[in-house]
Amino acid sequence: HWTFDFSSITNRGRYVVMLGEGKAAVASPPFGISDDLLRQGAAEPGYRFFYYQRCGVAVPGFHAACHLDDARMPDGTHRDLSGGWHDAGDYNKYCGFTPETLYALAVAYHRQPRLFDQWDRDGNRRADILDEALWGAEFLLKALDRESLDLVVNTISTGYRYWGEPQKETDNQPGNRDDRPVTGLGGDRTWCAAGFALTGAALKKAGDAARGDELIRLAVRLHEKIGGGMETLGALYAATADAKYREAARAQVENILRQPKPEENFRALGEYATAFKDDALVPRIRPVAERRVADLLRLCAPPFGLVRTPAASGFVYFPAYADVNDWYVGNTMRYLDVAIEGAMAAHLGVLAGRRLAEDQVHWILGRNPFGVSLMEGVGNSFVPNYHHRYNTLPGNPRGAVPGALL
Protein backbone atom coordinates (compact mmCIF):
# COMPACT_ATOMS: atom_id res chain seq x y z
CA HIS A 1 0.00 0.00 0.00
CA TRP A 2 1.36 3.38 -0.98
CA THR A 3 0.13 6.88 -0.26
CA PHE A 4 0.82 9.65 -2.75
CA ASP A 5 0.27 13.40 -2.54
CA PHE A 6 -1.02 14.79 -5.84
CA SER A 7 -1.46 18.35 -4.59
CA SER A 8 1.00 19.73 -7.15
CA ILE A 9 -0.94 18.25 -10.09
CA THR A 10 -3.55 20.78 -11.16
CA ASN A 11 -4.44 19.52 -14.65
CA ARG A 12 -7.86 17.88 -14.49
CA GLY A 13 -8.04 14.44 -16.06
CA ARG A 14 -7.74 10.68 -15.69
CA TYR A 15 -4.42 9.26 -14.52
CA VAL A 16 -2.63 6.03 -13.66
CA VAL A 17 0.54 5.40 -11.68
CA MET A 18 3.00 3.19 -13.59
CA LEU A 19 5.68 1.13 -11.87
CA GLY A 20 8.44 -0.85 -13.56
CA GLU A 21 9.14 -1.48 -17.22
CA GLY A 22 8.42 -4.12 -19.82
CA LYS A 23 6.94 -7.36 -18.52
CA ALA A 24 7.42 -6.18 -14.95
CA ALA A 25 5.32 -3.06 -15.47
CA VAL A 26 2.20 -2.66 -13.37
CA ALA A 27 -0.39 0.09 -13.38
CA SER A 28 -2.72 1.39 -10.71
CA PRO A 29 -6.44 1.58 -11.37
CA PRO A 30 -7.28 4.80 -13.22
CA PHE A 31 -8.22 7.73 -11.03
CA GLY A 32 -9.44 11.25 -11.57
CA ILE A 33 -8.02 14.59 -10.53
CA SER A 34 -10.57 17.37 -10.48
CA ASP A 35 -12.67 19.50 -8.16
CA ASP A 36 -15.53 17.98 -6.19
CA LEU A 37 -14.91 14.41 -7.35
CA LEU A 38 -16.69 12.75 -4.44
CA ARG A 39 -19.87 14.83 -4.64
CA GLN A 40 -20.08 14.81 -8.42
CA GLY A 41 -19.36 11.08 -8.64
CA ALA A 42 -21.52 9.75 -5.83
CA ALA A 43 -24.37 12.23 -5.33
CA GLU A 44 -26.58 11.21 -8.25
CA PRO A 45 -26.17 7.42 -7.83
CA GLY A 46 -26.73 7.88 -4.10
CA TYR A 47 -30.27 9.14 -4.49
CA ARG A 48 -30.98 7.45 -7.82
CA PHE A 49 -30.75 4.08 -6.07
CA PHE A 50 -34.14 4.75 -4.52
CA TYR A 51 -35.72 5.36 -7.92
CA TYR A 52 -34.67 1.86 -8.97
CA GLN A 53 -36.17 0.52 -5.73
CA ARG A 54 -39.60 2.02 -6.42
CA CYS A 55 -42.58 -0.22 -5.86
CA GLY A 56 -45.98 0.12 -7.52
CA VAL A 57 -44.71 1.58 -10.77
CA ALA A 58 -42.72 0.42 -13.79
CA VAL A 59 -38.99 1.16 -13.55
CA PRO A 60 -37.63 1.06 -17.12
CA GLY A 61 -34.76 -1.35 -17.50
CA PHE A 62 -35.65 -3.14 -14.26
CA HIS A 63 -39.25 -4.22 -13.78
CA ALA A 64 -42.88 -3.65 -14.73
CA ALA A 65 -45.43 -2.10 -12.37
CA CYS A 66 -45.59 -4.34 -9.32
CA HIS A 67 -47.56 -4.86 -6.11
CA LEU A 68 -50.41 -2.67 -7.29
CA ASP A 69 -52.65 -4.63 -4.92
CA ASP A 70 -50.88 -3.64 -1.69
CA ALA A 71 -52.25 -4.22 0.89
CA ARG A 72 -54.56 -6.38 2.99
CA MET A 73 -55.15 -5.02 6.49
CA PRO A 74 -55.26 -7.39 9.48
CA ASP A 75 -59.09 -7.22 9.55
CA GLY A 76 -59.24 -8.42 5.94
CA THR A 77 -60.12 -5.06 4.39
CA HIS A 78 -58.08 -3.53 1.57
CA ARG A 79 -56.21 -0.24 1.92
CA ASP A 80 -54.42 1.38 -1.01
CA LEU A 81 -50.78 1.12 0.02
CA SER A 82 -49.20 0.89 -3.40
CA GLY A 83 -46.03 2.89 -3.93
CA GLY A 84 -43.06 3.42 -1.66
CA TRP A 85 -39.76 1.60 -2.04
CA HIS A 86 -38.71 -2.01 -1.89
CA ASP A 87 -36.53 -2.67 1.13
CA ALA A 88 -32.86 -3.37 0.31
CA GLY A 89 -32.65 -6.75 -1.45
CA ASP A 90 -36.24 -7.84 -0.80
CA TYR A 91 -39.65 -6.47 -1.75
CA ASN A 92 -40.99 -5.73 1.72
CA LYS A 93 -41.95 -2.19 2.67
CA TYR A 94 -41.44 -0.67 6.11
CA CYS A 95 -42.70 2.54 7.66
CA GLY A 96 -39.78 2.33 10.03
CA PHE A 97 -37.22 2.96 7.27
CA THR A 98 -39.26 4.97 4.76
CA PRO A 99 -39.60 8.12 6.94
CA GLU A 100 -35.83 8.30 7.49
CA THR A 101 -35.21 7.86 3.78
CA LEU A 102 -37.65 10.69 3.06
CA TYR A 103 -35.73 12.94 5.46
CA ALA A 104 -32.35 11.95 4.02
CA LEU A 105 -33.42 12.83 0.48
CA ALA A 106 -35.11 16.07 1.56
CA VAL A 107 -32.25 17.33 3.74
CA ALA A 108 -29.66 16.53 1.07
CA TYR A 109 -31.57 18.69 -1.40
CA HIS A 110 -32.24 21.41 1.18
CA ARG A 111 -28.54 21.78 1.96
CA GLN A 112 -27.18 21.53 -1.58
CA PRO A 113 -29.86 22.56 -4.10
CA ARG A 114 -27.36 23.78 -6.70
CA LEU A 115 -25.64 20.40 -6.71
CA PHE A 116 -28.85 18.43 -7.21
CA ASP A 117 -30.62 20.85 -9.55
CA GLN A 118 -28.27 19.72 -12.34
CA TRP A 119 -30.09 16.36 -12.51
CA ASP A 120 -33.60 16.45 -13.99
CA ARG A 121 -33.87 13.32 -16.14
CA ASP A 122 -37.63 13.51 -16.57
CA GLY A 123 -37.52 17.17 -17.61
CA ASN A 124 -40.24 18.32 -15.21
CA ARG A 125 -38.17 21.35 -14.10
CA ARG A 126 -37.72 19.84 -10.66
CA ALA A 127 -34.65 18.13 -9.28
CA ASP A 128 -34.97 14.36 -9.47
CA ILE A 129 -33.96 14.01 -5.82
CA LEU A 130 -36.96 16.14 -4.89
CA ASP A 131 -39.19 13.93 -7.04
CA GLU A 132 -37.84 10.94 -5.10
CA ALA A 133 -38.53 12.59 -1.74
CA LEU A 134 -42.08 13.33 -2.90
CA TRP A 135 -42.51 9.68 -3.93
CA GLY A 136 -41.72 8.63 -0.37
CA ALA A 137 -43.91 11.35 1.13
CA GLU A 138 -46.92 10.29 -0.93
CA PHE A 139 -46.60 6.71 0.28
CA LEU A 140 -46.38 7.85 3.89
CA LEU A 141 -49.50 9.95 3.42
CA LYS A 142 -51.34 6.75 2.49
CA ALA A 143 -50.09 5.07 5.67
CA LEU A 144 -50.93 8.01 7.94
CA ASP A 145 -54.25 8.56 9.67
CA ARG A 146 -54.89 12.26 9.06
CA GLU A 147 -56.97 12.66 12.22
CA SER A 148 -54.92 10.81 14.83
CA LEU A 149 -51.63 11.38 12.96
CA ASP A 150 -50.72 7.77 13.66
CA LEU A 151 -48.96 5.61 11.10
CA VAL A 152 -51.44 2.77 10.83
CA VAL A 153 -49.01 0.59 8.89
CA ASN A 154 -45.50 -0.53 9.67
CA THR A 155 -44.73 -3.60 7.56
CA ILE A 156 -46.14 -4.87 4.26
CA SER A 157 -44.65 -8.28 3.64
CA THR A 158 -45.13 -11.85 2.50
CA GLY A 159 -41.86 -12.79 4.18
CA TYR A 160 -38.69 -13.77 2.37
CA ARG A 161 -39.57 -16.91 0.44
CA TYR A 162 -40.51 -15.32 -2.87
CA TRP A 163 -37.48 -14.86 -5.10
CA GLY A 164 -38.44 -13.63 -8.55
CA GLU A 165 -39.48 -10.61 -10.56
CA PRO A 166 -41.50 -8.19 -8.41
CA GLN A 167 -44.42 -7.83 -10.83
CA LYS A 168 -44.99 -11.60 -10.69
CA GLU A 169 -45.34 -11.95 -6.91
CA THR A 170 -49.05 -11.01 -7.02
CA ASP A 171 -51.70 -10.60 -9.71
CA ASN A 172 -51.71 -6.79 -9.14
CA GLN A 173 -55.51 -6.85 -8.77
CA PRO A 174 -56.65 -5.38 -5.44
CA GLY A 175 -59.12 -7.16 -3.21
CA ASN A 176 -58.30 -10.84 -3.52
CA ARG A 177 -56.34 -13.46 -1.58
CA ASP A 178 -52.89 -12.75 -2.98
CA ASP A 179 -52.83 -9.12 -1.84
CA ARG A 180 -49.75 -8.68 0.32
CA PRO A 181 -50.69 -8.42 4.00
CA VAL A 182 -49.93 -5.71 6.52
CA THR A 183 -48.02 -7.68 9.14
CA GLY A 184 -47.13 -4.86 11.51
CA LEU A 185 -49.05 -1.84 12.70
CA GLY A 186 -47.75 1.52 13.82
CA GLY A 187 -44.52 2.96 12.45
CA ASP A 188 -41.73 5.38 13.18
CA ARG A 189 -43.03 8.94 12.87
CA THR A 190 -39.80 10.45 14.21
CA TRP A 191 -38.57 11.48 10.78
CA CYS A 192 -41.93 12.25 9.20
CA ALA A 193 -42.23 15.82 10.45
CA ALA A 194 -38.71 16.77 9.35
CA GLY A 195 -39.12 15.06 5.98
CA PHE A 196 -42.54 16.57 5.29
CA ALA A 197 -41.34 20.05 6.29
CA LEU A 198 -38.28 20.11 4.02
CA THR A 199 -40.06 18.43 1.10
CA GLY A 200 -42.91 20.91 1.44
CA ALA A 201 -40.53 23.88 1.53
CA ALA A 202 -38.73 22.63 -1.58
CA LEU A 203 -42.01 22.06 -3.44
CA LYS A 204 -43.08 25.63 -2.70
CA LYS A 205 -39.83 26.97 -4.14
CA ALA A 206 -40.36 24.75 -7.19
CA GLY A 207 -43.79 26.30 -7.77
CA ASP A 208 -46.08 23.71 -6.20
CA ALA A 209 -47.38 25.84 -3.33
CA ALA A 210 -50.52 23.78 -2.67
CA ARG A 211 -48.75 20.49 -2.06
CA GLY A 212 -45.91 22.24 -0.29
CA ASP A 213 -48.21 23.97 2.18
CA GLU A 214 -50.11 20.73 2.81
CA LEU A 215 -46.91 18.91 3.81
CA ILE A 216 -45.69 21.78 5.98
CA ARG A 217 -49.01 21.99 7.85
CA LEU A 218 -48.86 18.27 8.44
CA ALA A 219 -45.29 18.57 9.73
CA VAL A 220 -46.34 21.28 12.18
CA ARG A 221 -49.22 19.15 13.49
CA LEU A 222 -46.95 16.11 13.87
CA HIS A 223 -44.42 18.11 15.85
CA GLU A 224 -47.14 19.48 18.10
CA LYS A 225 -48.20 15.91 18.87
CA ILE A 226 -44.91 14.00 19.18
CA GLY A 227 -42.21 16.68 19.51
CA GLY A 228 -38.88 16.23 17.79
CA GLY A 229 -35.14 16.53 17.96
CA MET A 230 -32.65 18.84 16.32
CA GLU A 231 -33.33 17.66 12.77
CA THR A 232 -37.06 18.29 13.14
CA LEU A 233 -36.63 21.73 14.69
CA GLY A 234 -34.16 22.79 12.01
CA ALA A 235 -36.46 21.53 9.27
CA LEU A 236 -39.52 23.30 10.68
CA TYR A 237 -37.62 26.55 11.01
CA ALA A 238 -36.41 26.26 7.42
CA ALA A 239 -39.97 25.64 6.24
CA THR A 240 -41.80 28.22 8.35
CA ALA A 241 -39.22 30.77 9.58
CA ASP A 242 -41.05 30.62 12.93
CA ALA A 243 -38.58 31.69 15.63
CA LYS A 244 -40.08 29.31 18.19
CA TYR A 245 -38.40 26.35 16.46
CA ARG A 246 -35.00 28.05 16.53
CA GLU A 247 -35.48 28.91 20.19
CA ALA A 248 -36.41 25.31 21.02
CA ALA A 249 -33.34 24.06 19.15
CA ARG A 250 -31.17 26.57 21.00
CA ALA A 251 -32.52 25.32 24.32
CA GLN A 252 -31.56 21.76 23.39
CA VAL A 253 -28.03 22.89 22.52
CA GLU A 254 -27.61 24.78 25.78
CA ASN A 255 -28.71 21.67 27.65
CA ILE A 256 -26.19 19.49 25.79
CA LEU A 257 -23.36 21.97 26.40
CA ARG A 258 -24.04 21.80 30.13
CA GLN A 259 -23.50 18.02 30.16
CA PRO A 260 -20.16 16.56 31.38
CA LYS A 261 -19.35 15.11 27.95
CA PRO A 262 -21.23 17.08 25.28
CA GLU A 263 -19.07 15.44 22.59
CA GLU A 264 -21.15 12.30 23.04
CA ASN A 265 -24.06 14.28 21.54
CA PHE A 266 -22.00 16.06 18.91
CA ARG A 267 -24.30 14.93 16.09
CA ALA A 268 -27.11 17.12 17.47
CA LEU A 269 -24.71 20.03 18.00
CA GLY A 270 -23.40 19.61 14.47
CA GLU A 271 -26.92 19.66 13.10
CA TYR A 272 -27.56 22.91 14.95
CA ALA A 273 -24.35 24.51 13.68
CA THR A 274 -25.25 23.46 10.14
CA ALA A 275 -28.80 24.83 10.35
CA PHE A 276 -27.96 28.04 12.22
CA LYS A 277 -24.47 29.00 11.11
CA ASP A 278 -24.67 32.56 12.46
CA ASP A 279 -25.90 31.67 15.96
CA ALA A 280 -23.93 32.92 18.95
CA LEU A 281 -23.71 29.37 20.34
CA VAL A 282 -21.78 28.03 17.35
CA PRO A 283 -18.32 29.14 18.62
CA ARG A 284 -18.97 27.16 21.80
CA ILE A 285 -19.61 24.04 19.71
CA ARG A 286 -16.21 24.14 18.00
CA PRO A 287 -14.14 22.86 20.97
CA VAL A 288 -16.70 20.07 21.41
CA ALA A 289 -16.15 19.17 17.74
CA GLU A 290 -12.38 19.01 18.35
CA ARG A 291 -12.84 16.57 21.21
CA ARG A 292 -15.29 14.45 19.24
CA VAL A 293 -12.93 14.17 16.27
CA ALA A 294 -10.05 13.30 18.62
CA ASP A 295 -12.17 10.53 20.20
CA LEU A 296 -13.04 9.11 16.78
CA LEU A 297 -9.48 9.31 15.51
CA ARG A 298 -8.37 7.16 18.45
CA LEU A 299 -10.56 4.42 16.97
CA CYS A 300 -8.77 4.70 13.61
CA ALA A 301 -5.42 3.30 12.50
CA PRO A 302 -3.10 3.43 9.47
CA PRO A 303 -3.03 2.80 6.62
CA PHE A 304 -6.72 3.31 5.90
CA GLY A 305 -7.95 5.51 8.75
CA LEU A 306 -11.09 3.39 9.08
CA VAL A 307 -12.97 3.68 12.36
CA ARG A 308 -12.85 0.47 14.40
CA THR A 309 -15.24 -1.05 16.93
CA PRO A 310 -14.28 -1.54 20.58
CA ALA A 311 -14.41 -5.24 21.49
CA ALA A 312 -13.21 -7.50 24.30
CA SER A 313 -10.05 -8.25 22.32
CA GLY A 314 -9.36 -4.57 21.62
CA PHE A 315 -10.31 -2.50 18.59
CA VAL A 316 -11.56 -4.56 15.64
CA TYR A 317 -12.57 -3.66 12.09
CA PHE A 318 -15.29 -6.30 11.97
CA PRO A 319 -17.17 -7.75 14.96
CA ALA A 320 -17.07 -11.52 15.35
CA TYR A 321 -19.96 -13.13 13.51
CA ALA A 322 -21.27 -14.75 16.70
CA ASP A 323 -21.30 -11.39 18.46
CA VAL A 324 -23.86 -9.91 16.09
CA ASN A 325 -26.37 -12.78 16.32
CA ASP A 326 -25.86 -13.69 12.65
CA TRP A 327 -27.23 -10.26 11.64
CA TYR A 328 -24.08 -9.02 9.98
CA VAL A 329 -25.21 -5.68 8.61
CA GLY A 330 -24.67 -2.03 9.35
CA ASN A 331 -20.90 -1.45 9.10
CA THR A 332 -21.17 0.83 6.08
CA MET A 333 -23.82 2.91 7.81
CA ARG A 334 -21.52 3.33 10.81
CA TYR A 335 -18.65 4.53 8.61
CA LEU A 336 -20.92 7.07 6.95
CA ASP A 337 -22.26 8.27 10.31
CA VAL A 338 -18.64 8.94 11.31
CA ALA A 339 -18.10 10.69 7.98
CA ILE A 340 -21.07 12.97 8.64
CA GLU A 341 -19.69 13.94 12.04
CA GLY A 342 -16.27 14.56 10.51
CA ALA A 343 -17.78 16.78 7.82
CA MET A 344 -19.76 18.74 10.41
CA ALA A 345 -16.58 19.27 12.42
CA ALA A 346 -14.74 20.40 9.30
CA HIS A 347 -17.40 23.04 8.67
CA LEU A 348 -16.68 24.30 12.18
CA GLY A 349 -13.01 24.70 11.30
CA VAL A 350 -11.68 21.38 12.66
CA LEU A 351 -9.48 20.38 9.72
CA ALA A 352 -8.89 16.85 11.01
CA GLY A 353 -12.63 16.26 10.60
CA ARG A 354 -12.35 16.46 6.83
CA ARG A 355 -9.66 13.76 6.69
CA LEU A 356 -11.67 11.60 9.09
CA ALA A 357 -14.72 11.91 6.84
CA GLU A 358 -12.82 11.29 3.62
CA ASP A 359 -11.06 8.22 5.02
CA GLN A 360 -14.41 6.53 5.73
CA VAL A 361 -15.75 7.39 2.26
CA HIS A 362 -12.54 6.32 0.52
CA TRP A 363 -12.75 2.89 2.17
CA ILE A 364 -16.30 2.46 0.88
CA LEU A 365 -15.36 3.58 -2.66
CA GLY A 366 -12.45 1.17 -2.97
CA ARG A 367 -9.49 2.19 -0.85
CA ASN A 368 -9.50 -1.11 1.01
CA PRO A 369 -7.40 -4.30 0.84
CA PHE A 370 -9.55 -5.76 -1.94
CA GLY A 371 -9.68 -2.60 -4.04
CA VAL A 372 -13.43 -3.15 -4.32
CA SER A 373 -16.00 -0.36 -4.10
CA LEU A 374 -18.93 -1.03 -1.82
CA MET A 375 -21.08 1.37 -3.87
CA GLU A 376 -22.28 -0.10 -7.15
CA GLY A 377 -21.20 1.96 -10.15
CA VAL A 378 -18.96 4.40 -8.26
CA GLY A 379 -15.33 3.32 -8.46
CA ASN A 380 -13.37 0.80 -10.52
CA SER A 381 -14.14 -2.69 -9.21
CA PHE A 382 -17.29 -4.13 -7.65
CA VAL A 383 -18.53 -7.28 -5.94
CA PRO A 384 -19.51 -10.11 -8.29
CA ASN A 385 -23.01 -10.59 -6.84
CA TYR A 386 -25.49 -8.86 -4.57
CA HIS A 387 -28.04 -10.43 -2.24
CA HIS A 388 -30.86 -8.83 -4.18
CA ARG A 389 -33.94 -10.26 -5.84
CA TYR A 390 -33.22 -8.15 -8.89
CA ASN A 391 -30.86 -10.95 -9.89
CA THR A 392 -34.00 -12.63 -11.25
CA LEU A 393 -34.49 -9.78 -13.74
CA PRO A 394 -33.47 -10.65 -17.29
CA GLY A 395 -29.99 -9.34 -18.01
CA ASN A 396 -29.06 -8.63 -14.39
CA PRO A 397 -27.56 -11.86 -12.99
CA ARG A 398 -25.47 -9.91 -10.45
CA GLY A 399 -28.55 -8.36 -8.87
CA ALA A 400 -26.84 -4.99 -9.22
CA VAL A 401 -28.63 -1.70 -8.57
CA PRO A 402 -26.71 1.50 -9.40
CA GLY A 403 -25.86 3.38 -6.23
CA ALA A 404 -26.48 0.38 -3.97
CA LEU A 405 -24.34 0.33 -0.82
CA LEU A 406 -23.30 -3.00 0.66
Side-chain angles (χ1 to χ4, degrees), residues 316-340:
V316 298
Y317 286 109
F318 307 105
Y321 195 72
D323 292 343
V324 291
N325 298 318
D326 299 341
W327 188 240
Y328 207 90
V329 297
N331 274 31
T332 304
M333 181 176 70
R334 179 166 186 252
Y335 303 147
L336 291 175
D337 277 338
V338 169
I340 289 171

Side-chain angles (χ1 to χ4, degrees), residues 178-198:
D178 79 343
D179 293 359
R180 295 201 298 177
V182 170
T183 57
L185 302 180
D188 184 359
R189 295 174 296 172
T190 307
W191 299 101
C192 285
F196 286 155
L198 292 179

Side-chain angles (χ1 to χ4, degrees), residues 343-355:
M344 287 176 167
H347 282 298
L348 287 164
V350 183
L351 298 182
R354 179 185 175 111
R355 175 56 60 88

